Amino acid sequence: MTRPVRVRFAPSPTGALHIGGVRTALYNYLFARQRGGKFILRIEDTDSQRFVPGAEEYIMESLEWCGIKIDEGIREGGPHAPYRQSERKDIYKKYALQLVESGNAYYAFDTPEELNALRAEMEAKGETFAYNHAVRTQLATSLRLSAEEVEERIARGDQYVIRFKMPENESVEMHDMIRGNVTINTATLDDKVLYKSADALPTYHLANIVDDHLMEISHVIRGEEWLPSLPLHYLLYRALGWSDTQPEFGHLPLLLKPTGQGKLSKRDGDKFGFPVFPLRWVAPDGEVSRGYREDGYFPEAFINMLALLGWNPGTEQELFSMDELINAFSLERVSKSGARFQPEKAHWFNGQYMHRKSNEEIGALLKPILKEHGIECSDELAATIGGHIKERSTFPADFWELAGYFFVAPTEYDPKGVKKYWKGENPAKLLEIREVLAAIDDFSIENTDAAVHQWIERTGYSAGQIINTLRLSVVGACKGPGMFDVLALVGKEQVLARIDAAVAALGMANE
Ligand code: GLU
């Protein structure tokens, strides 16, 4: 019988969600949707010291912005609620005790001071201290102390931790959906803490295994940094008697710096000028980090870019909607090696999505930008202008530069354009064109186009010279869409006024 697919994204709310984390969530989501499964958001907040207020909301808002829909989670609820580990506190202790009883774990009473002293002592000898099979029977553990003494210590309220008793020398054979078979010998592994009496909380390892089991998780897809924990997780499943229903594991490659060397960090973002977080984040200390959303990225473009960082479809196709990603995604095509983040590629994706938007969508994005400049404009006009600027835009922040002149007369003229066109007879000819335009009642594209071209035919004057001179006077530079589109959008009165203003500003000739 095949198991229902249930995957989880299990972030710890320790700050803003890095784009690597968003990619983990995305791959889980694609995997679940493709197989008709469920995507669960579990908040792993058992490390109260690293808890950051606002991080949980940030995670949920990020997923929502990306279009990743949560089936079960702290807001959504679900059959295995609660989905926040701090609210599941009472569940874990029993499993820790079960592991002690079955001989797979033990109590350790060493105080942090004692452990620090031991560590310092070993380091002085040039050795490193590890809490493992070599030392566990010599320290203050239930492996050395008598049962009575252990009971007495617990009864009098001594703080303790419960540690996993790692087998001394066993080859653990594991399977990873991306990396294949992996074997690791336990000799080098230490005895991880599973439970702490001080705050009556489990550590990540125990809570994670217990919850994956209780929540019937079928596949664990997570970052490569968790691969070293996999032997412990396999052994925990075995020790708890859950190997039969243990999930399958897949560890995703790291996101690398633009240089290809090392893991992509927040500092790289600052250095190379790109966001590493999906949304803007204000840390508790007031430090602000930029976000893809606030930088003007479309969520579809962001998701498309992220999906291809570590996965490839095996074809030339680069643009994928969420539905297309759901269809095409496969863990087999996730690479084992790190994926280099390329800021230019992120720009490219956004541009592609910009170019594909309808004129109306661009118009809707343009209106608020115009408003910031004190300009009200109809939906229709915004959409028409949108149609002219979208091919040249990457971000909405480009719009004003590309569209501002439709509404505001130039106050400066591009020196290069002036040098090239404001010379010889051009200004005088421009005044002739002004009269031609002044005589047109209906200032439509067709009418101005026909009138100007008739004048060109009649006079034999160079079309390139006169149209560029006209453009320079109306736009302020030699840029923008078709001249007659510009004239129609700017309107007769403004066009005539702008010609006059250019002549006033630049004079009649500039040899
Ligand atoms: N809480 C862990 C993290 O923050 C989850 C790791 C896992 O998916 O097992 O990455």
Side-chain angles (χ1 to χ4, degrees), residues 318-389:
E318 286 194 283
L319 298 180
F320 287 87
S321 66
M322 187 68 101
D323 283 342
E324 287 172 319
L325 287 173
I326 290 170
N327 276 323
F329 184 74
S330 73
L331 284 175
E332 291 74 48
R333 300 206 72 92
V334 169
S335 76
K336 295 186 192 57
S337 51
R340 187 163 70 89
F341 178 81
Q342 296 166 282
E344 333 71 68
K345 197 72 193 185
H347 289 188
W348 181 84
F349 273 109
N350 216 54
Q352 294 302 312
Y353 279 83
M354 178 73 88
H355 306 164
R356 282 165 179 75
K357 287 206 179 291
S358 70
N359 295 354
E360 288 68 29
E361 284 173 300
I362 303 284
L365 293 168
L366 174 61
K367 281 185 70 168
I369 293 172
L370 294 177
K371 206 163 183 178
E372 278 169 30
H373 289 87
I375 297 160
E376 292 287 344
C377 132
S378 69
D379 291 350
E380 205 190 336
L381 178 59
T384 306
I385 293 177
H388 288 301
I389 60 174

Side-chain angles (χ1 to χ4, degrees), residues 36 46 61 78 103 114 130 173 208 215 231 242 255 263 273 320 331 335 355 375 395 415 453 465 469 490 504-505 507:
T46 55
E61 202 182 333
E114 284 164 351
E173 285 173 18
N208 186 271
M215 294 180 179
W242 298 337
L255 287 190
K263 197 174 156 182
F320 287 87
L331 284 175
S335 76
H355 306 164
I375 297 160
F395 298 105
H453 280 99
Q465 289 297 319
T469 310
V490 171

Side-chain angles (χ1 to χ4, degrees), residues 8 10-12 44 204 208 212 220-222 225-226 233:
R8 77 329 188 252
S12 300
E44 300 207 326
Y204 155 73
N208 186 271
D212 280 350
V220 168
I221 302 165
R222 62 184 173 189
E225 63 274 26
W226 299 105
H233 294 180

